[in-house]
Amino acid sequence: MSERERILGVLGEAEVLGGIRWAYESAARRTREDYDEPTGHNATWVGINRWILLCDRLDRVFSCGRYATREGSSGTVGLDVLYATLTGEEQATFPHIPPGTVGRDNLVGSPGWSFGGVRWLLASAEFGGVDEINWSHRSQVKQRTAKQFDPDNDQFSILDVLVDDPGAAKLREALEHASKFDITTLVVTHTHDIETNDRELYLGLPSMEGKDNAWAWKENLLAAPPADGGRQKLPATEPDGPANVPDAPVRLRTPAEKAAPMSNVDAPRAAEDQ
């Protein structure tokens, strides 16, 4: 079994992957619903707002942050708190993940969550540009994340060839120390075209090794059917978009009013790497 398969198996069995997906879909839905171009909202607003809401939804699903249970409590936060501002469908599909399963695990100021020896951070991207992310232009913590050793990669490097060279040994040690984390750290990358409502959500191990791909591996979290939440079941409905989430009404400019096509770009680095 590869390390990728092991990680996806661990997170999938605990329904963590479904929790991440639910959180993203809820954040994307609310962002599109609130988007109003005449108010002054633009692609930057879209990226920042989705990022903020995604952090909030992840904390809700995993009972972290302001949704964490208190010592001596019944073990759950009231549904009125968890369900605040959520749609009926989001409430019905809210993943039932026992509190304490996933913990907040921030890394150098970058929001993170962890379970089963795996941590994941967040990174926004332009729709369709997930494979072209230049990690060297991201924060230092994201650069370090992209320098982690990939145990599934059996390709030799120049350092393997120079195995008897003292200088190569010192360089290898320095590189491993610079990129070493306490646990394996992955990145959840999210995009959203606000006009078409097309969405992307990936979990993967970023890499700065390849020239043509920004990932050692990545998994499409929107490919599998969404979880039903386990709380109550709603009648099945026809999918209403790429992510099977109902479109919310948005105000878009008419072709005559458009000065340039709108596309979702990365949230400013200050927000993306908080």
Side-chain angles (χ1 to χ4, degrees):
M1 177 185 296
S2 68
E3 181 67 3
R4 170 181 181 170
E5 292 172 334
R6 185 194 70 80
I7 289 174
L8 294 176
V10 168
L11 298 182
E13 184 176 355
E15 299 185 9
V16 171
L17 298 182
I20 295 174
R21 172 175 177 156
W22 180 93
Y24 164 78
E25 290 181 330
S26 176
R29 188 275 309 170
R30 184 57 187 264
T31 298
R32 192 167 193 259
E33 183 179 86
D34 291 345
Y35 175 74
D36 184 60
E37 191 172 13
T39 299
H41 296 163
N42 55 20
T44 299
W45 180 91
V46 169
I48 293 176
N49 198 65
R50 188 180 69 248
W51 184 89
I52 292 173
L53 290 175
L54 180 53
C55 288
D56 172 85
R57 281 11 181 206
L58 287 170
D59 279 344
R60 291 197 201 208
V61 169
F62 300 132
S63 303
C64 299
R66 63 188 292 260
Y67 304 100
T69 58
R70 297 180 179 179
E71 185 176 354
S73 69
S74 61
T76 60
V77 173
L79 293 183
D80 58 330
V81 176
L82 286 176
Y83 288 173
T85 75
L86 300 182
T87 66
E89 182 176 351
E90 288 171 343
Q91 293 178 27
T93 58
F94 191 95
H96 183 61
I97 299 174
T101 300
V102 174
R104 260 287 194 154
D105 197 355
N106 299 345
L107 186 62
V108 196
S110 185
W113 296 259
S114 64
F115 168 79
V118 180
R119 177 196 292 118
W120 56 94
L121 310 175
L122 302 178
S124 62
E126 182 178 358
F127 181 80
V130 172
D131 288 335
E132 285 107 40
I133 295 176
N134 189 336
W135 297 109
S136 65
H137 293 171
R138 296 299 180 105
S139 68
Q140 290 188 358
V141 70
K142 297 293 170 44
Q143 292 181 42
R144 288 184 60 198
T145 303
K147 292 177 181 178
Q148 289 177 103
F149 171 70
D150 176 16
D152 294 333
N153 186 355
D154 56 2
Q155 295 181 351
F156 285 99
S157 72
I158 187 64
L159 297 180
D160 296 308
V161 177
L162 301 176
V163 63
D164 296 325
D165 188 315
K170 292 182 180 180
L171 178 57
R172 178 189 294 277
E173 182 179 351
L175 290 174
E176 291 179 351
H177 177 75
S179 60
K180 187 175 182 179
F181 290 138
D182 51 342
I183 59 177
T184 299
T185 301
L186 307 178
V187 171
V188 170
T189 298
H190 52 103
T191 82
H192 187 192
D193 188 312
I194 200 67
E195 290 191 350
T196 65
N197 204 29
D198 289 334
R199 307 170 185 180
E200 295 173 308
L201 180 67
Y202 291 94
L203 170 72
L205 178 65
S207 174
M208 297 178 67
E209 293 290 333
K211 297 181 179 179
D212 302 323
N213 199 321
W215 304 88
W217 62 265
K218 70 181 189 301
E219 183 74 10
N220 182 359
L221 298 188
L222 298 180
D228 61 15
R231 292 184 181 272
Q232 65 184 65
K233 299 185 185 300
L234 296 179
T237 58
E238 291 296 325
D240 201 19
N244 298 331
V245 177
D247 289 354
V250 296
R251 297 184 50 144
L252 300 176
R253 293 176 294 180
T254 63
E257 295 174 321
K258 293 185 179 180
M262 170 71 74
S263 62
N264 183 20
V265 296
D266 288 355
R269 199 169 308 151
E272 184 269 322
D273 287 323
Q274 286 184 43

